[in-house]
Amino acid sequence: MSSSVSTQLLTNLKAGGCDFFVSVPCKLLAGQIQLLEKDSDICYLPVTREEEGFGLCAGASLAGRLPCILMQDSGLGNSINAIKSLIQFFQLPVVMLMSYRGSPGEPVPAQVPMGVLVPELLKLLQIPAIHCHQPADLAEIRPLVDHARVAESAVAILIDFQLMEGEI
Amino acid sequence: MNRYELLETLVPVLEDALVVCNIGIPSQELHAISDRDNHFYMLGSMGLCSSIGLGLALTTQKRVVALEGDGAVLMNLGTLATIGNRAPDNLILLIIDNGSYGSTGDQATYTSGETSLAAVARGAGSQKVIECPGEETAGVLADCLTARRAAVIVSRVAAGNRPLPVVPLHPIVLRERFRQSIRK
Ligand SMILES: [Mg+2]
């Protein structure tokens, strides 16, 4: 049996060079957060809000690290100005690992109004994104992380309920 | 003493540190007093100076000074909890508290009312918090840089701004010269 989806996600991110992680929690990402807390190869800390997290990522990126922010997709709404006027304005690579709340499988109705906007919002913000439905999709993470560095851009990975089903 | 006069006294102390400077007039004033490669002027994203500083401090060995404003910290108060728990020894958060939103027409902030950012920083977990008048700040900052211990300094100054143009640097030029100063 292969390792858990959470482990594979993290392995792919680290293989791509992510070495600085911040998180705003989500139950779909709880497995990765537990792994990050125990991982001494990387720098990890929780933040209080997504835009604060983008600030930390900008600092780490200036210092030559490749940062990754774990967040709910709803946090994209809290972060648009930070993404545009800091991350994209200074062309700082950042990987966004986002739980795709509000997509099919979502039990909380209030997550839906923001969730349905997220794919189009990412497009509007010109953030290259992939959508992971099943374990085979995790192979797309490594090239996307490389792309963040090459394009000096934020990139997004959407993780849906179906993929995390066995881990929540 | 206002912010500009304070910055004039701080510049000599900041030469060997990485400086992240709050958006707007604070950056314009620092740039006008002394434009150096170790200065990262925020050109957007109000409120995130202290967060950028924390991200830098966690990933470099150099000393990092985040030159914040009272209005900007009020916009991102959670930063004080993250810094109170996770600031490394090389981070100094220097809040220039003039009780005013200086870049937007000098509207009063709540620090000119009942709010004490030093008390909030202490409550949020920072062990070393020093509140001082602007006139004493350069000395306090120099001591903190020598001590190599995380600190929050709240420097009380009068409101007031120099009329200056927008920082005339392209963001990528600014990014690259700042990155080079990190590597030096
Ligand atoms: Mg102010």
Side-chain angles (χ1 to χ4, degrees):
Chain A
M1 185 59 202
S2 61
S3 58
S4 72
V5 172
S6 293
T7 306
Q8 290 178 54
L9 266 163
L10 208 56
T11 303
N12 278 293
L13 290 167
K14 285 171 70 177
C18 290
D19 54 2
F20 182 90
F21 293 78
V22 298
S23 77
V24 182
C26 176
K27 83 181 169 188
L28 291 193
L29 303 174
Q32 281 101 285
I33 290 171
Q34 272 183 355
L35 291 169
L36 287 168
E37 283 167 348
K38 291 182 292 191
D39 192 332
S40 54
D41 297 342
I42 48 93
C43 180
Y44 163 71
L45 68 164
V47 292
T48 63
R49 193 175 162 87
E50 294 82 1
E51 62 173 351
E52 182 200 5
F54 280 102
L56 273 121
C57 288
S61 192
L62 284 168
R65 300 292 198 97
L66 184 54
C68 175
I69 178 167
L70 284 71
M71 58 193 268
Q72 293 190 18
D73 60 352
S74 55
L76 188 59
N78 297 344
S79 311
I80 290 175
N81 183 53
I83 292 170
K84 296 311 292 186
S85 73
L86 178 62
I87 302 299
Q88 292 186 334
F89 193 57
F90 287 98
Q91 295 182 26
L92 301 169
V94 174
V95 178
M96 301 155 64
L97 181 66
M98 301 189 341
S99 57
Y100 192 10
R101 302 298 306 263
S103 62
E106 172 64 61
V108 181
Q111 293 279 9
V112 178
M114 186 67 203
V116 295
L117 282 183
V118 163
E120 279 188 87
L121 206 46
L122 288 170
K123 233 176 256 170
L124 187 67
L125 295 170
Q126 299 176 318
I127 297 173
I130 60 169
H131 190 163
C132 296
H133 303 279
Q134 53 195 12
D137 299 334
L138 299 176
E140 293 177 41
I141 290 177
R142 175 76 196 268
L144 184 76
V145 172
D146 289 338
H147 184 62
R149 204 182 289 105
V150 171
E152 300 188 313
S153 170
V155 300
I157 303 160
L158 283 171
I159 299 296
D160 73 8
F161 277 83
Q162 194 183 310
L163 180 66
M164 302 312 291
E165 218 165 27
E167 306 198 17
I168 51 175
Chain B
M1 179 180 265
N2 64 18
R3 186 201 314 103
Y4 188 93
E5 292 154 352
L6 169 64
L7 288 170
E8 284 182 314
T9 69
L10 298 185
V11 158
V13 184
L14 291 170
E15 279 181 9
D16 296 322
L18 298 172
V19 180
V20 184
C21 187
N22 186 24
I23 182 176
I25 296 178
S27 274
Q28 294 163 17
E29 291 182 345
L30 180 63
H31 175 269
I33 294 164
S34 172
D35 179 30
R36 295 173 52 91
D37 290 356
N38 59 321
H39 296 174
F40 183 77
Y41 309 108
M42 286 174 69
L43 304 175
S45 65
M46 179 167 170
L48 298 186
C49 172
S50 56
S51 306
I52 299 167
L54 177 58
L56 259 178
L58 288 166
T59 50
T60 67
Q61 296 299 313
K62 297 201 164 184
R63 287 169 177 76
V64 175
V65 178
L67 285 180
E68 265 287 18
D70 49 316
V73 171
L74 288 169
M75 197 175 261
N76 178 19
L77 270 184
T79 189
L80 294 178
T82 308
I83 286 172
N85 285 274
R86 300 299 291 266
D89 289 345
N90 58 337
L91 179 67
I92 294 172
L93 170 59
L94 199 172
I95 304 169
I96 301 176
D97 185 357
N98 61 1
S100 173
Y101 291 105
S103 297
T104 55
D106 276 321
Q107 300 88 352
T109 70
Y110 284 128
T111 67
S112 69
E114 302 300 321
T115 303
S116 159
L117 288 174
V120 179
R122 277 187 206 105
S126 285
Q127 300 294 311
K128 187 173 178 184
V129 179
I130 303 164
E131 185 160 24
C132 62
E135 289 78 1
E136 292 169 20
T137 304
V140 169
L141 176 61
D143 289 346
C144 286
L145 285 166
T146 307
R148 210 177 221 290
R149 183 180 161 202
V152 177
I153 304 168
V154 180
S155 172
R156 300 296 302 245
V157 294
N161 313 287
R162 287 286 163 108
L164 290 165
V166 170
V167 174
L169 288 166
H170 190 277
I172 304 307
V173 172
L174 184 48
R175 182 195 74 180
E176 282 313 296
R177 64 176 221 180
F178 188 68
R179 276 188 173 152
Q180 277 166 23
S181 83
I182 296 174
R183 284 187 221 114
K184 257 181 221 162

